[in-house]
Amino acid sequence: AQTVTQSQPEMSVQEAETVTLSCTYDTSESDYYLFWYKQPPSRQMILVIRQEAYKQQNATENRFSVNFQKAAKSFSLKISDSQLGDAAMYFCAYRSASDMRFGAGTRLTVKP
Amino acid sequence: GAVVSQHPSWVICKSGTSVKIECRSLDFQATTMFWYRQFPKQSLMLMATSNEGSKATYEQGVEKDKFLINHASLTLSTLTVTSAHPEDSSFYICSASLAGVRYEQYFGPGTRLTVT
């Protein structure tokens, strides 16, 4: 089975600063997708950004961007100009035709 | 994005009874639905994947007879926890998607189950 590892249980960032959340994964499949989800205290899962494995270009969504290193099986999330509303649990996720896995999560705190 | 609802949002039941949780895709036809379990301060664990009209595919370690999943229509999937016990208390989340890996999953708001 594929594994997804988030090595940072907690991260903290000053408002307006930039923070990077790490994620690595292990797979032998060639066709898969990677995601970052945000889970605020309401516990509603919100898609932040997604990356198709076959695309070399890193995905970006406004203040959110990823650094996808396929050979290294790394998929980090960069949040620029952090806002108080970014405070939440962030989960890295892997999806293929045969599997759906989430990392353990990183709790992000944003300091005013 | 598409909207997925879950009902109830919170349920308390007595040990030994069964409880049903509904997951509905409100504005699209979901050929695939996923059921997850999330313990406090932990990640989501996939329990099963269901495709409309087919039997659900359960993850290893998930008891099929205890967690009954029905996906009878393109907009509704149900999870029934049978003979619930306190250790089944958890947060259950469903998500809905069109068939195919490339399609996004839309998550429901979750259901908190407490078994007393």
Side-chain angles (χ1 to χ4, degrees):
Chain A
Q2 283 63 237
T3 58
V4 179
T5 302
Q6 291 180 249
S7 59
Q8 305 154 316
E10 297 182 353
M11 290 286 284
S12 179
V13 63
Q14 203 72 33
E15 192 176 8
E17 297 295 309
T18 296
V19 65
T20 298
L21 308 184
S22 302
C23 174
T24 58
Y25 61 96
D26 184 29
T27 185
S28 57
E29 297 178 310
S30 58
D31 184 18
Y32 56 90
Y33 289 74
L34 298 166
F35 305 85
W36 278 98
Y37 288 96
K38 171 184 177 181
Q39 188 180 43
S42 68
R43 303 189 79 169
Q44 172 71 58
M45 295 289 286
I46 301 167
L47 177 65
V48 175
I49 200 166
R50 79 177 207 167
Q51 174 80 43
E52 292 90 340
Y54 63 86
K55 287 188 177 179
Q56 292 186 340
Q57 187 173 6
N58 290 324
T60 63
E61 286 288 341
N62 300 314
R63 298 184 294 108
F64 300 88
S65 61
V66 298
N67 183 2
F68 174 46
Q69 301 291 325
K70 190 171 183 178
K73 295 187 173 66
S74 171
F75 182 61
S76 61
L77 174 69
K78 185 172 81 171
I79 305 174
S80 304
D81 186 25
S82 297
Q83 301 175 359
L84 295 177
D86 294 334
M89 281 291 291
Y90 285 81
F91 293 101
C92 178
Y94 168 102
R95 183 179 180 186
S96 69
S98 61
D99 205 5
M100 177 74 219
R101 300 280 165 187
F102 285 81
T106 296
R107 180 172 299 281
L108 178 66
T109 301
V110 181
K111 297 180 180 179
Chain B
V3 179
V4 175
S5 70
Q6 276 185 248
H7 177 79
S9 58
W10 195 354
V11 58
I12 301 174
C13 71
K14 291 187 176 181
S15 186
T17 63
S18 296
V19 61
K20 180 184 287 188
I21 302 169
E22 292 186 350
C23 177
R24 292 181 185 273
S25 57
L26 299 184
D27 50 5
F28 73 104
Q29 294 184 326
T31 46
T32 302
M33 287 188 171
F34 302 85
W35 286 95
Y36 299 88
R37 185 172 182 177
Q38 186 178 32
F39 290 105
K41 299 185 179 181
Q42 292 189 23
S43 186
L44 279 71
M45 287 182 52
L46 180 64
M47 299 175 66
T49 304
S50 71
N51 293 300
E52 186 267 338
S54 303
K55 289 185 177 180
T57 300
Y58 290 80
E59 293 296 301
Q60 191 171 8
V62 177
E63 298 177 61
K64 301 178 184 181
D65 295 332
K66 182 167 189 59
F67 299 99
L68 302 178
I69 292 172
N70 184 284
H71 190 169
S73 77
L74 287 171
T75 59
L76 174 65
S77 177
T78 60
L79 167 67
T80 301
V81 183
T82 62
S83 186
H85 291 285
E87 56 265 32
D88 299 325
S89 298
S90 188
F91 194 69
Y92 292 89
I93 302 174
C94 75
S95 70
S97 170
L98 295 175
V101 177
R102 64 190 179 96
Y103 293 106
E104 183 179 338
Q105 291 184 63
Y106 299 96
F107 285 84
T111 296
R112 183 181 302 281
L113 170 63
T114 301
V115 184
T116 61

